[in-house]
Amino acid sequence: MRTFFRLAVIATGVAVGAIGAHAQQKEWKEIRIGTEGAYPPFNNLNARKELEGFEIDYMNALCDKMKVKCTWVVQDWDGIIPALLAGKYDVIVAGMNATDERKKRVDFTTVYTRTPIAVIAAKSVASADFSPAALKGKAIGTQGSTIHANYLEKYYKDSTIRLYPTQEEANLDLENGRLDYVVADKMSLDDFLNNKGKDCCKEVGLIERDPAIHGPGTAMAVRKEDTALRDMISKAIEESLKDGSFEKVRVKWFKFAIM
Amino acid sequence: MTWCEAPGYWLGHEVLQNYGCRIASGLLVTIELVALSTTLGCAIALCIALIRLKGPAWARGAMAAYTTFFRGTPLLCQLFLIYYGLGSFRPFWQSVDLWWFFREPFYCALLAFTINTAAYQAEIFRGAIASLPRGQIEAAKALGLSRFQLLRLVVMPQALIVALRPLGNELITTIKVSAIASLVTLFDLMGATKLAFARSFDLSIYLYAAAIYLALVEIIRRVLALIEAHLTRHSATDNPHARAL
Amino acid sequence: MDYYLSLISFGPHGWGRPFLEGAFVTLSLAVATLPFGLTLGLAIALMQRSHRRFARGFATVYTTVFRGAPELLTLYIIYFGLSLGVQSALKSLGFSTQFDMPPFLAGMIALGLVLAAFSSEVWVGALNAIPRGQREAAAALGLHRAQAFRLIVFPQIMRIALPGLGNNWMVLLKETSLVSVITLPDIMFYAMRANVVTKEPFLMFGVASLIYLAFSIISAVGFGVLEARSNRGHAMHGAAR
């Protein structure tokens, strides 16, 4: 078993080490982009197997701005970082929050969205108070690998925190009555409240962002060596925020500000 | 510092230290779920196997349908239907006083895992019992053994020799697929590891999880080797292990 | 009802086509993996029962490692690690060609290695059930070891191993869903995508289940035929009487 462990460490070492091979500071003419394709309305695959969503349109606009050729790769969330590190693509655009913990492994570009965070509950909940004291002993659900989970686990220690693989399951459990509250990005919750959750649930309020936990917002991830690529994309994002090209894509997908 | 943070601290691995307690409680969830579902599933499986071999035609058909259905569809879908599907009929479950059961992720996961592993184990038992030569049973009947004695003294000791290793496979498979429980907010060893990875992006965390899985599998292998040596102690097969022990 | 049907139809907003393509990926990967995994598994099983210590040790380590290690890790090491390894090997030999591990091949190798570990246990169990006298008799008849294995041992272990191998196959069919982490879109990949877009998880998981169920009913019939065939001429206790 020790031999296997050593072999595995070596294999991972090779995988991580060989990334140096990709690290030449070349001029970027072509960028391969990894995305999950399962997070509407930011990025999702439709029934015709085409990618659509805010992030897809926005990144394509940035590619035009940078005058580079972009190709998209749809990659499951579990393998999204290993595939970046192994050089299967060069940048991840998948609603990824730039937390400090993650910055140790990958580099992030400038932030391009900062979504409002909402709390929803059953219609029968009368109080608009969702402070940790008010929610003591209540069951709160959210998606597991998100910043909302980190936030709830830090501040809502006296509540039962349930972590779901995707937002859909958390919403189902709110409908079922297994959960008292659900916390998530406002846009995905609005989508739920306007459709399936119309009869059962309502918004209780918005959570103020805590930079220490929520981080600065959503950014694109690149390998640590690819500083030139990171700077090139960051510059394009900053320009797009100033010259209105960001807004042009935003109004197509969202009714409220996301930055 | 608590005990579950200690390994990460000693190894100087920050991520392992931060998520050590989650991974430890994940291991506990895995063990609880697997131990309970495998034991319950084993009892159900034996009944199914005997019905498939000896029962009336309609019962045989029903049991064959059961094993085909539950082996044939993904456990993920089965658990989804039980927890989220059945869970959406809350008023009904409350009226029959069963909501306490369907409300809890652990019970739902246990139910799904039990009916699933029962289907796989039933297939193993059926195959093992059917592989026995008919002469054995005829001889036992001629000796005047009751049906229960026949099963306990003649059929099972021999069938287990064939069934043991596939049962070990099924046990290990159940340990691995218990990761599916994170669908219902229950974080097993793999679920906790994946969460640690999703937050830290540190791949080496998988290696530590792999080390724990390997230790579990090695323990199972050794226990099964002892049982196998015991079961084959009288038989002259050319199994080198049997001779060595 | 029409609404639900349109969601899984082959029309522009229906997920029928993606599901069909996912089913093709799942089935072709499982079918491609099976012969490789079972043959390697039999070889490992024979090593497990070898009289050479080294062979036995290797087989034991192999089955422990590949049954124990999370399949996800095995897949990562084959897909990411191996392609980088081959690339640096090519480089040291003076070739500068880019080597990209095809996901299908990586999935086939990783799942095959795992299937070999699990199926070897089934083969060993079956081999254990063959009395030593059989092989002694074969030797007395002057058969080579290879002949004895092919003519005497193999037909008998096939009969005993079939139900266990059937379980291995069912597990394999569903384990192929792991390959979506290396960009191979299988049934579950599309079921999840369809689920987040349409918000109809019961429908989409239901369709996925039905596809898997169809595959396993076909396999169950196939295994039934094989079992009946391998039991012919064998007086046994049980269903096939």
Side-chain angles (χ1 to χ4, degrees):
Chain A
M1 195 177 99
R2 205 192 299 151
T3 332
F4 166 75
F5 203 64
R6 214 175 283 154
L7 275 178
V9 170
I10 292 169
T12 326
V14 169
V16 176
I19 290 152
H22 297 273
Q24 73 271 46
Q25 295 297 338
K26 59 174 181 187
E27 209 180 313
W28 293 88
K29 293 275 177 222
E30 268 188 69
I31 306 179
R32 290 163 304 161
I33 309 160
T35 193
E36 190 196 5
Y39 189 46
F42 289 91
N43 65 72
N44 65 267
L45 215 57
N46 66 20
R48 291 181 301 281
K49 301 201 303 164
E50 302 151 347
L51 279 167
E52 58 182 27
F54 166 74
E55 287 181 320
I56 310 300
D57 288 353
Y58 178 52
M59 188 63 193
N60 283 335
L62 289 185
C63 290
D64 290 345
K65 194 184 272 300
M66 296 184 286
K67 299 201 171 53
V68 291
K69 185 170 169 271
C70 287
T71 44
W72 290 85
V73 179
V74 184
Q75 164 73 55
D76 254 17
W77 185 260
D78 279 341
I80 209 160
I81 290 291
L84 173 77
L85 296 181
K88 303 282 175 188
Y89 41 75
D90 309 303
V91 55
I92 299 172
V93 184
M96 193 174 268
N97 272 285
T99 61
D100 287 341
E101 205 178 2
R102 289 169 171 174
K103 277 180 194 159
K104 290 176 189 162
R105 310 283 157 191
V106 293
D107 261 11
F108 286 102
T109 63
T110 303
V111 166
Y112 61 90
T113 52
R114 201 175 287 125
T115 56
I117 303 162
V119 183
I120 64 169
K123 281 224 162 101
S124 55
V125 172
S127 165
D129 182 6
F130 56 89
S131 63
L135 266 52
K136 194 176 170 186
K138 301 282 186 193
I140 316 174
T142 193
Q143 198 179 337
S145 54
T146 61
I147 47 172
H148 315 305
N150 302 25
Y151 180 83
L152 290 173
E153 282 174 356
K154 170 133 191 219
Y155 290 115
Y156 289 78
K157 287 211 163 85
D158 293 327
S159 310
T160 309
I161 312 297
R162 292 255 176 94
L163 304 182
Y164 293 81
T166 73
Q167 191 57 41
E168 271 66 43
E169 283 105 31
N171 295 344
L172 279 173
D173 257 3
L174 185 65
E175 277 182 85
N176 285 335
R178 289 195 185 102
L179 288 177
D180 301 306
Y181 293 87
V182 164
V183 174
D185 286 345
K186 184 173 159 57
M187 34 278 264
S188 80
L189 289 180
D190 277 358
D191 193 26
F192 169 66
L193 292 179
N194 292 331
N195 296 300
K196 299 243 146 158
K198 210 182 294 173
D199 303 321
C200 79
C201 312
K202 63 168 186 191
E203 186 176 300
V204 181
L206 295 177
I207 288 182
E208 195 138 339
R209 290 185 81 96
D210 176 351
I213 292 176
H214 292 120
T218 312
M220 302 176 192
V222 299
R223 290 179 290 270
K224 278 204 170 285
E225 309 80 37
D226 292 338
T227 48
L229 178 65
R230 182 198 64 199
D231 296 342
M232 182 172 94
I233 299 175
S234 291
K235 193 169 143 255
I237 293 174
E238 276 157 26
E239 278 173 24
S240 76
L241 290 170
K242 285 191 199 115
D243 67 12
S245 44
F246 175 88
E247 272 304 293
K248 213 171 105 191
V249 184
R250 196 273 296 172
V251 292
K252 183 180 163 197
W253 292 97
F254 302 110
K255 290 194 185 67
F256 46 84
I258 55 166
M259 185 61 203
Chain B
M1 193 177 66
T2 53
W3 63 271
C4 44
E5 288 169 345
Y9 177 75
W10 288 326
L11 290 163
H13 194 290
E14 198 190 337
V15 178
L16 185 62
Q17 189 180 342
N18 290 344
Y19 293 96
C21 293
R22 269 179 204 275
I23 291 174
S25 65
L27 176 61
L28 197 69
V29 169
T30 299
I31 292 173
E32 278 175 356
L33 258 182
V34 173
L36 286 171
S37 62
T38 303
T39 317
L40 292 171
C42 183
I44 300 172
L46 263 177
C47 301
I48 296 173
L50 290 175
I51 293 173
R52 276 200 75 177
L53 292 167
K54 287 272 161 203
W58 64 268
R60 267 188 225 179
M63 291 302 117
Y66 175 93
T67 50
T68 307
F69 183 83
F70 285 103
R71 292 191 315 149
T73 53
L75 179 55
L76 180 94
C77 298
Q78 293 163 14
L79 182 57
F80 194 91
L81 285 180
I82 288 175
Y83 183 81
Y84 295 104
L86 296 181
S88 61
F89 301 107
R90 182 179 178 176
F92 171 75
W93 297 119
Q94 279 172 328
S95 72
V96 294
D97 212 10
L98 274 175
W99 178 239
W100 61 269
F101 184 91
F102 286 100
R103 206 178 78 122
E104 286 305 315
F106 186 84
Y107 295 141
C108 291
L110 186 60
L111 177 64
F113 282 45
T114 303
I115 54 183
N116 187 272
T117 189
Y120 280 97
Q121 291 186 43
E123 197 60 13
I124 296 169
F125 282 126
R126 179 187 69 84
I129 296 173
S131 77
L132 299 183
R134 187 161 42 172
Q136 297 266 349
I137 283 97
E138 283 164 357
K141 281 191 182 144
L143 286 171
L145 294 183
S146 73
R147 292 188 80 160
F148 180 70
Q149 281 176 317
L150 171 85
L151 192 65
R152 192 171 63 88
L153 299 171
V154 180
V155 175
M156 282 322 284
Q158 299 186 78
L160 267 180
I161 297 176
V162 179
L164 196 63
R165 281 168 185 261
L167 284 177
N169 272 352
E170 175 52 22
L171 179 60
I172 293 167
T173 306
T174 311
I175 289 178
K176 301 283 208 55
V177 300
S178 70
I180 284 170
S182 57
L183 179 73
V184 297
T185 74
L186 217 56
F187 284 79
D188 81 319
L189 178 52
M190 198 56 185
T193 309
K194 276 189 175 173
L195 186 72
F197 174 73
R199 289 189 185 175
S200 66
F201 289 165
D202 185 349
L203 269 173
S204 65
I205 198 78
Y206 280 117
L207 293 182
Y208 294 98
I212 301 176
Y213 277 111
L214 286 185
L216 287 177
V217 170
E218 182 61 15
I219 293 168
I220 291 169
R221 190 186 68 79
R222 289 190 181 203
V223 171
L224 289 185
L226 286 177
I227 299 176
E228 185 171 76
H230 179 76
L231 287 172
T232 54
R233 67 197 182 280
H234 309 300
S235 54
T237 76
D238 53 358
N239 179 4
H241 301 291
R243 253 177 301 162
L245 281 156
Chain C
M1 192 64 207
D2 281 351
Y3 170 69
Y4 291 115
L5 280 178
S6 76
L7 283 181
I8 53 171
S9 73
F10 289 84
H13 296 289
W15 287 82
R17 236 193 119 73
F19 266 119
L20 198 66
E21 292 179 20
F24 181 73
V25 168
T26 297
L27 193 62
S28 52
L29 187 62
V31 168
T33 305
L34 191 70
F36 163 54
L38 288 190
T39 319
L40 185 61
L42 184 56
I44 299 286
L46 292 173
M47 289 173 88
Q48 184 79 265
R49 292 170 43 88
S50 160
H51 296 286
R52 295 203 179 86
R53 270 185 84 88
F54 173 77
R56 280 212 309 272
F58 175 82
T60 304
V61 171
Y62 181 93
T63 46
T64 304
V65 167
F66 283 102
R67 287 194 304 164
E71 286 82 357
L72 194 66
L73 192 65
T74 310
L75 198 57
Y76 282 169
I77 290 177
I78 301 289
Y79 183 57
F80 299 125
L82 209 60
S83 60
L84 291 167
V86 170
Q87 201 159 318
S88 52
L90 283 175
K91 209 178 227 170
S92 65
L93 289 171
F95 300 101
S96 61
T97 41
Q98 180 86 10
F99 176 78
D100 242 345
M101 181 69 131
F104 190 90
L105 186 65
M108 201 185 121
I109 294 174
L111 292 174
L113 291 174
V114 175
L115 175 64
F118 280 96
S119 66
S120 80
E121 287 291 290
V122 178
W123 290 122
V124 170
L127 284 166
N128 281 349
I130 309 288
R132 186 161 31 164
Q134 297 260 352
R135 222 173 288 194
E136 287 165 357
L141 285 171
L143 295 178
H144 301 295
R145 285 183 62 172
Q147 276 179 320
F149 181 76
R150 191 167 56 85
L151 298 171
I152 311 283
V153 179
F154 188 73
Q156 297 189 75
I157 59 171
M158 202 53 201
R159 184 177 73 82
I160 300 171
L162 263 176
L165 296 178
N167 271 355
N168 290 155
W169 164 249
M170 295 290 186
V171 173
L172 172 69
L173 254 183
K174 281 164 284 163
E175 213 151 63
T176 51
S177 71
L178 268 179
V179 296
S180 61
V181 303
I182 56 170
T183 66
L184 266 187
D186 74 312
I187 298 173
M188 289 310 273
F189 174 92
Y190 285 121
M192 305 264 191
R193 296 315 181 270
N195 173 4
V196 295
V197 171
T198 61
K199 318 278 180 210
E200 295 293 348
F202 297 109
L203 178 69
M204 295 309 171
F205 283 140
V207 170
S209 295
L210 285 180
I211 300 175
Y212 280 108
L213 191 62
F215 288 162
S216 48
I217 288 173
I218 296 169
S219 342
V221 172
F223 272 97
V225 171
L226 280 178
E227 267 184 53
R229 236 185 85 88
S230 64
N231 281 334
R232 70 191 189 282
H234 199 275
M236 26 169 276
H237 147 71
R241 256 179 304 185

